[in-house]
Amino acid sequence: MPLSLDDLVAQIPDGCTLAVCPDYSGVAMAATRALIRRGARDLTLVTLPTSSLQADLLIGAGCLRAIETSAVALGEAGAGPRFAAAAKAGSLTIRDATCPAIHAALQASEKGVPFLPLRGVIGSDLIKQRPDWRVIDNPLGSGGDPLLLVPAIRPDIALFHAPFADEAGNVWVGRRRELFTLAHASAGSLVTVEEIRPGNLLDDETLAPATITSLYIQGIAGAPRGAWPLKFGERYAEDQAHLAEYLRLAATAEGFQQYLERWVLGPEGHR
Amino acid sequence: MPLSLDDLVAQIPDGCTLAVCPDYSGVAMAATRALIRRGARDLTLVTLPTSSLQADLLIGAGCLRAIETSAVALGEAGAGPRFAAAAKAGSLTIRDATCPAIHAALQASEKGVPFLPLRGVIGSDLIKQRPDWRVIDNPLGSGGDPLLLVPAIRPDIALFHAPFADEAGNVWVGRRRELFTLAHASAGSLVTVEEIRPGNLLDDETLAPATITSLYIQGIAGAPRGAWPLKFGERYAEDQAHLAEYLRLAATAEGFQQYLERWVLGPEGHR
Amino acid sequence: MSTLAPEIYLIETVRRLLDGTHHVAIGANSPMPAAAALLARRLGTGAARVSMQQFPQFSSFTDGGRELFDLAGQGRLDAFFLSGAQIDGRGNINLVAVGDYAAPKARFPGSWGSAYLYFAVPRVILFRSEHSRRSLVERVDFISAPGSSPPGVWRRGGPVALVTPLCAFAFRDGGFHLASIHPGHTLEEVLDQTAFDFARPEKVPFTAAPDDTTLRLLRDAVAPELAALYPHFHAKLFGC
Amino acid sequence: MSTLAPEIYLIETVRRLLDGTHHVAIGANSPMPAAAALLARRLGTGAARVSMQQFPQFSSFTDGGRELFDLAGQGRLDAFFLSGAQIDGRGNINLVAVGDYAAPKARFPGSWGSAYLYFAVPRVILFRSEHSRRSLVERVDFISAPGSSPPGVWRRGGPVALVTPLCAFAFRDGGFHLASIHPGHTLEEVLDQTAFDFARPEKVPFTAAPDDTTLRLLRDAVAPELAALYPHFHAKLFGC
């Protein structure tokens, strides 16, 4: 049942909408490097609701046509360097959002409804940049109550990293409940895990409640330390030296190419 | 920290909106008997999304002014007898709904939005009976796409039964995720539990994901076998003989009074 | 063939209605649909995944009571079963009340998830254990869920069939068509006991019995599964 | 009093702004707000519950990334901290870009949850670690979240104050009012480094230092907690 990383990312076709998650949820970095190696193109990346190195790498490597995000940030350093460079060059379609709007858009997809309403946001310039968002007068109000409607986002694929899966294809995600929404909202989910355990997680009433069932899972690959160089829950911390090196190199297009060749395309990329 | 049952239900004031759950979630039956003993009146009961004995008892005992529900059923026997009698007598305001509409109404409250849209339902006579529901033309469609909007329900109190709580006031509910929504959507939650455990459930990364945190919990009472005579997950089955006895007696108003006096108001009610 | 229990014909009828489905969900107190789905799964003809929330070994839901409705909304549920205190000739079902809604002659539990699932699930199979003019009516007193919808209304599915102890109807073009009569029953009986109009072929076939392979699988593989879920139904059907 | 580190004044200022709050949430990389909230909690003046998602011992969220936003929508969050690459005199914040949005001179990470939390949380405290004409501007280039809203727009709260290394502003009637200047700084400095107009009293007070009890609590009780969360900040403030 478990796939190789290459077979896993082969299920992410060029041009598809790919949904990912922030560092705290578990980022499938090893799979992201495999995706760059396979030369993915024209992806639309949706971050629930933000991203860091993963989005920046995919942008720098030219895999993305568009991104919908509430932030692409690397640590305290501010915006991801390739994200900022692409924004300035106008070479990437950026759909700026706000965190709860992306949660709402994926929950709308999870519930099979065309949109979810969201309070706040009225008067933000975000609305001017989002022709797909709609402000209506609250139909259940008594008039003069502007309300934002956020359309559903249905990603083709969700990609994330989790602590473990079982032989039946169920995936335990612990407190990272946003991954349930991500998996439900997406047509299929591809998951890398630290380990694959024997048996069936649903037979354990302590583990079952935090388990995304195989109904939503399209493929699983084992990837020990698969979130490196990012942190993974309480299991491992981020590799601060490596991220500092990334920030140093990715400040320029040439430096980013150097990083890519050494840490993604070269043998070290398979780490 | 744990309260007595009487002190727990003292926090359910006459006239309030009380939200409860189906048998599979864990019904606080011991607390419900205490609530009837304290003579609660004019409650509006919201069931997420259905109920059985709990609603029927509260109706028969005259505690309710109104009920919003998708079904009040007792086993294979059909409608709860006091529910059916009240419907025929017109002595209870019944807001008939459909299961996902009540889920949506409580999720709207959980998210702090005035409504959630719901697919389906168009052409159901439910809509004629629900002036609070609204059908609009999907504002994100291209016209001619009727869509139901279900307004948020914000209960004053949620009441349910759970396997265990900790000394810090956190409550473990396992797979019963609808109880998260119920607790989030309600102003406060009152919970009975089979046992209270030492320590803090949030310190255990295996138990924490299925734990409703104390932020939402207004009061906890210990009530071993607190769902009796209903089933409680895999912990105990329903008391079929008792439920058959209830159905037999509750077929008439006089029989129901007998049941009430013996099994709720009398010493057996404290069981 | 005369030795087959009537339930076997119901099971086989429903089993065939599940051809090509992947995920089938079944509500509480539904032994016959459960048997049909488990049989289809064993045969490999459909229902590769069977969800029955009340049985832990068949409950794959970990996101609470809303997950069934959410996944139906996502298009992840292929078939579901519904019934009605009243079912009418347009496929409308009534789970609420007989008579005036405000002062009903009879009151039933309520509409459950029908008003949503009837739209969201591609293949809804209606099953009614009582075939009478009281249950199969010309027009329901209350529409819990309508059998069909005007163009433009979002609707992924709806009723495909109505199965009763007497016969099986197919549902198409907004109405019922008599598809087969179970052995031991007659067209006259069906006409007599059905208050709604329905179409029928010149010669109505009898409901097909399962073939030997299917029957063997039902007895050898499905019966033991069923015994754990519905002991009474199993005992009645297969002996103790 | 001259021996107090400048950060102590910031902590005390923010601690007072949290008076009477119950639940305070603090984002990543926010040592000063964390110190202020933990101090308020110890003193019993506010912030009885402090949520910091990135620290397990302060993370009471078990419903995923949306729980913070959902509970804010429920009215269960009393105070939050926001900042902006640019903040203008109307309390508008910009976390997106400087210059033209389509071809910006500088691009920042994005608006995060600001466009929602600025409306949903009753008390939002703005904190900007750089007090300059570049950061405190007359008009932001992009409004991630507006400082105030027209009547009728749903809004439970908004900015109550802006705290910088130089001073503290209160926000009311849609604009900033200089509330106090931190010891060691002057009104001239504030006027010189602030590009937006603000109101001020005839005599601007210095920011109050914490009293002895508060200071003792900060050093004895809060400092050890802080050491576990923000070792660098702790070391800078209290020595190793």
Side-chain angles (χ1 to χ4, degrees):
Chain A
M1 161 98 201
L3 305 169
S4 71
L5 276 182
D6 287 343
D7 288 346
L8 190 84
V9 302
Q11 299 187 36
I12 305 173
D14 285 356
C16 82
T17 296
L18 178 69
V20 296
C21 59
D23 297 8
Y24 57 70
S25 305
V27 180
M29 284 307 301
T32 302
R33 289 187 290 271
L35 184 62
I36 294 172
R37 281 197 298 275
R38 91 140 188 77
R41 284 292 174 275
D42 288 327
L43 305 178
T44 294
L45 193 74
V46 174
T47 71
L48 176 66
T50 62
S51 184
S52 68
L53 180 64
Q54 183 180 35
D56 213 52
L57 263 186
L58 288 167
I59 293 166
C63 302
L64 303 191
R65 174 171 52 194
I67 186 170
E68 164 139 14
T69 190
S70 302
V72 176
L74 260 84
E76 302 176 53
R82 299 332 296 160
F83 170 71
K88 285 188 240 178
S91 57
L92 175 71
T93 299
I94 300 174
R95 290 202 278 273
D96 265 292
T98 183
C99 301
I102 302 187
H103 284 288
L106 287 159
Q107 280 189 279
S109 175
E110 177 177 53
K111 298 196 77 63
V113 292
F115 61 82
L116 240 56
L118 179 67
R119 281 302 192 185
V121 195
I122 306 299
S124 165
D125 284 342
L126 290 170
I127 293 175
K128 293 185 193 161
Q129 304 300 334
R130 295 298 304 254
D132 55 328
W133 290 3
R134 188 72 49 91
V135 176
I136 64 167
D137 189 26
N138 175 12
L140 272 62
S142 45
D145 178 14
L147 180 67
L148 177 65
L149 306 184
V150 180
I153 298 174
R154 180 145 175 92
D156 299 299
I157 299 286
L159 174 67
F160 54 90
H161 187 68
F164 49 87
D166 65 19
E167 290 168 328
N170 303 302
V171 177
W172 190 84
V173 299
R175 287 204 206 192
R176 301 319 331 165
R177 203 77 198 175
E178 61 278 356
L179 297 178
F180 274 73
T181 302
L182 204 63
H184 294 175
S186 302
S189 289
L190 302 175
V191 187
T192 59
V193 294
E194 292 288 318
E195 51 169 326
I196 295 187
R197 296 191 177 178
N200 190 318
L201 290 164
L202 298 181
D203 294 340
D204 181 328
E205 284 305 314
T206 304
L207 295 175
T211 297
I212 300 175
T213 61
S214 59
L215 181 60
Y216 307 96
I217 307 295
Q218 180 174 325
I220 297 175
R225 296 192 69 80
W228 177 88
L230 299 178
K231 70 175 176 181
F232 186 49
E234 300 303 297
R235 292 178 179 240
Y236 41 93
E238 63 182 20
D239 184 338
Q240 291 184 336
H242 185 92
L243 291 175
E245 168 83 349
Y246 176 79
L247 281 174
R248 192 180 62 78
L249 287 171
T252 65
E254 299 69 35
F256 178 81
Q257 272 309 320
Q258 255 179 277
Y259 176 91
L260 208 58
E261 273 153 35
R262 167 146 188 215
W263 293 106
V264 178
L265 304 176
E268 297 257 36
H270 295 270
R271 173 172 171 164
Chain B
M1 159 99 201
L3 305 169
S4 71
L5 277 181
D6 287 343
D7 287 346
L8 190 84
V9 301
Q11 298 186 37
I12 304 173
D14 285 356
C16 81
T17 296
L18 178 67
V20 296
C21 58
D23 298 8
Y24 58 69
S25 306
V27 180
M29 284 307 302
T32 301
R33 289 188 290 272
L35 183 62
I36 293 172
R37 281 197 298 277
R38 90 140 188 78
R41 284 294 173 274
D42 288 328
L43 304 179
T44 294
L45 193 72
V46 174
T47 72
L48 175 65
T50 63
S51 184
S52 68
L53 181 64
Q54 184 181 35
D56 212 52
L57 263 185
L58 288 167
I59 292 166
C63 301
L64 302 192
R65 174 171 51 192
I67 187 170
E68 164 139 15
T69 190
S70 302
V72 177
L74 259 84
E76 302 176 53
R82 300 331 296 159
F83 170 70
K88 286 187 239 178
S91 58
L92 175 71
T93 300
I94 299 175
R95 290 201 278 272
D96 265 293
T98 183
C99 302
I102 303 187
H103 284 288
L106 286 159
Q107 280 189 280
S109 174
E110 178 178 52
K111 298 195 78 63
V113 292
F115 61 82
L116 240 55
L118 179 67
R119 280 304 192 182
V121 196
I122 305 299
S124 165
D125 283 344
L126 290 171
I127 294 175
K128 294 185 193 161
Q129 304 300 334
R130 295 298 304 254
D132 56 329
W133 290 2
R134 188 72 50 89
V135 176
I136 63 167
D137 188 28
N138 174 13
L140 272 62
S142 45
D145 178 14
L147 180 68
L148 177 65
L149 306 184
V150 180
I153 298 175
R154 179 146 175 92
D156 298 301
I157 299 286
L159 175 67
F160 55 90
H161 186 67
F164 50 87
D166 66 18
E167 290 169 328
N170 304 302
V171 177
W172 191 84
V173 299
R175 288 205 205 191
R176 302 319 330 165
R177 203 76 197 175
E178 61 277 356
L179 297 176
F180 273 74
T181 302
L182 204 62
H184 294 175
S186 302
S189 289
L190 301 175
V191 187
T192 59
V193 293
E194 292 288 317
E195 52 168 325
I196 295 187
R197 296 190 176 179
N200 189 317
L201 291 164
L202 298 182
D203 294 340
D204 181 329
E205 284 306 314
T206 304
L207 295 174
T211 297
I212 300 174
T213 61
S214 60
L215 180 60
Y216 307 95
I217 307 296
Q218 182 174 323
I220 297 174
R225 295 191 70 80
W228 176 88
L230 301 179
K231 71 175 176 181
F232 185 49
E234 300 303 297
R235 294 181 176 237
Y236 41 92
E238 62 182 22
D239 185 338
Q240 292 185 337
H242 185 92
L243 292 176
E245 167 83 350
Y246 175 78
L247 280 175
R248 193 181 62 79
L249 288 170
T252 66
E254 300 69 34
F256 178 82
Q257 272 309 318
Q258 257 179 277
Y259 177 91
L260 209 58
E261 273 154 35
R262 168 144 188 219
W263 293 107
V264 178
L265 304 175
E268 298 257 33
H270 294 271
R271 171 171 172 166
Chain C
M1 205 178 271
S2 59
T3 61
L4 290 180
E7 287 82 359
I8 301 289
Y9 290 94
L10 299 182
I11 291 171
E12 172 66 3
T13 302
V14 172
R15 201 265 309 157
R16 290 175 181 221
L17 290 166
L18 296 176
D19 269 0
T21 56
H22 176 71
H23 184 197
V24 175
I26 299 168
N29 300 322
S30 305
M32 196 279 294
L38 294 175
L39 182 57
R41 191 174 70 146
R42 287 282 176 176
L43 269 172
T45 54
R49 182 184 287 265
V50 180
S51 290
M52 296 186 272
Q53 259 196 284
Q54 73 277 27
F55 301 119
Q57 67 272 42
F58 287 97
S59 169
S60 58
F61 296 158
T62 55
D63 203 31
R66 72 168 177 251
E67 186 172 2
L68 173 70
F69 307 107
D70 284 355
L71 66 82
Q74 294 154 26
R76 285 189 161 98
L77 185 57
D78 302 311
F80 193 72
F81 296 85
L82 285 173
S83 191
Q86 296 179 326
I87 299 174
D88 72 21
R90 303 182 194 181
N92 299 316
I93 63 177
N94 173 8
L95 294 154
V96 167
V98 168
D100 178 25
Y101 176 77
K105 280 185 277 189
R107 170 73 211 202
F108 308 110
S111 298
W112 303 92
S114 65
Y116 172 76
L117 292 171
Y118 220 20
F119 292 75
V121 181
R123 223 181 280 192
V124 176
I125 297 165
L126 298 171
F127 176 63
R128 188 66 173 93
S129 58
E130 176 188 322
H131 191 142
S132 73
R133 291 186 160 264
R134 197 180 70 147
S135 57
L136 306 187
V137 300
E138 199 186 336
R139 203 86 176 94
V140 294
D141 291 347
F142 185 97
I143 301 175
S144 284
S148 56
S149 303
V153 171
W154 182 93
R155 183 152 200 164
R156 190 180 280 140
V160 295
L162 165 60
V163 180
T164 78
L166 295 189
C167 66
F169 297 98
F171 187 86
R172 51 175 185 271
D173 306 328
F176 287 110
H177 298 243
L178 184 58
S180 71
I181 298 174
H182 307 326
H185 299 284
T186 64
L187 177 60
E188 288 59 43
E189 223 180 324
V190 173
L191 287 165
D192 195 50
Q193 295 299 319
T194 309
F196 60 67
D197 290 333
F198 55 87
R200 59 183 155 104
E202 238 172 280
K203 195 168 154 43
V204 184
F206 278 113
T207 303
D211 64 24
D212 287 349
T213 315
T214 306
L215 208 52
R216 203 173 316 119
L217 213 57
L218 178 63
R219 286 181 169 140
D220 296 349
V222 174
E225 286 189 301
L226 215 51
L229 307 176
Y230 290 108
H232 292 297
F233 183 76
H234 171 265
K236 189 177 158 206
L237 207 53
F238 302 104
C240 282
Chain D
M1 206 177 271
S2 58
T3 63
L4 291 180
E7 286 83 359
I8 301 289
Y9 289 95
L10 300 182
I11 292 171
E12 172 66 3
T13 302
V14 173
R15 201 266 308 159
R16 290 177 181 218
L17 289 167
L18 296 175
D19 269 0
T21 56
H22 176 70
H23 184 198
V24 175
I26 298 168
N29 300 322
S30 305
M32 195 280 293
L38 294 174
L39 181 59
R41 191 173 71 145
R42 288 281 176 177
L43 268 172
T45 55
R49 181 184 287 264
V50 180
S51 290
M52 295 185 273
Q53 260 196 282
Q54 73 278 28
F55 301 119
Q57 67 272 43
F58 286 98
S59 170
S60 58
F61 296 158
T62 56
D63 203 31
R66 70 168 178 251
E67 187 171 0
L68 173 70
F69 307 107
D70 284 356
L71 68 83
Q74 295 153 26
R76 285 188 160 101
L77 184 57
D78 302 310
F80 193 72
F81 295 86
L82 285 174
S83 190
Q86 296 178 326
I87 299 172
D88 73 20
R90 301 181 196 183
N92 299 316
I93 63 178
N94 173 9
L95 294 153
V96 167
V98 168
D100 178 25
Y101 176 76
K105 278 184 279 187
R107 170 73 211 203
F108 308 111
S111 298
W112 302 91
S114 65
Y116 172 77
L117 292 171
Y118 219 21
F119 292 75
V121 181
R123 223 181 280 191
V124 177
I125 297 164
L126 299 171
F127 176 64
R128 189 66 174 91
S129 57
E130 175 189 323
H131 190 140
S132 73
R133 291 188 161 260
R134 197 179 71 148
S135 58
L136 305 187
V137 300
E138 200 186 334
R139 203 87 177 94
V140 294
D141 291 347
F142 185 96
I143 300 176
S144 283
S148 56
S149 303
V153 171
W154 182 92
R155 184 151 199 162
R156 190 180 277 141
V160 294
L162 165 60
V163 180
T164 78
L166 294 189
C167 66
F169 297 97
F171 187 85
R172 54 175 183 272
D173 307 327
F176 287 110
H177 298 243
L178 184 58
S180 71
I181 298 174
H182 307 326
H185 298 284
T186 64
L187 177 60
E188 286 62 41
E189 226 180 321
V190 173
L191 287 166
D192 195 49
Q193 295 299 320
T194 309
F196 60 68
D197 289 334
F198 54 87
R200 59 186 155 102
E202 237 172 284
K203 198 170 150 41
V204 184
F206 277 113
T207 303
D211 64 23
D212 288 349
T213 314
T214 305
L215 209 52
R216 204 174 314 119
L217 213 56
L218 179 63
R219 285 180 170 143
D220 297 348
V222 174
E225 286 189 301
L226 217 51
L229 308 176
Y230 290 106
H232 292 297
F233 183 76
H234 171 265
K236 188 178 159 206
L237 207 53
F238 301 105
C240 280

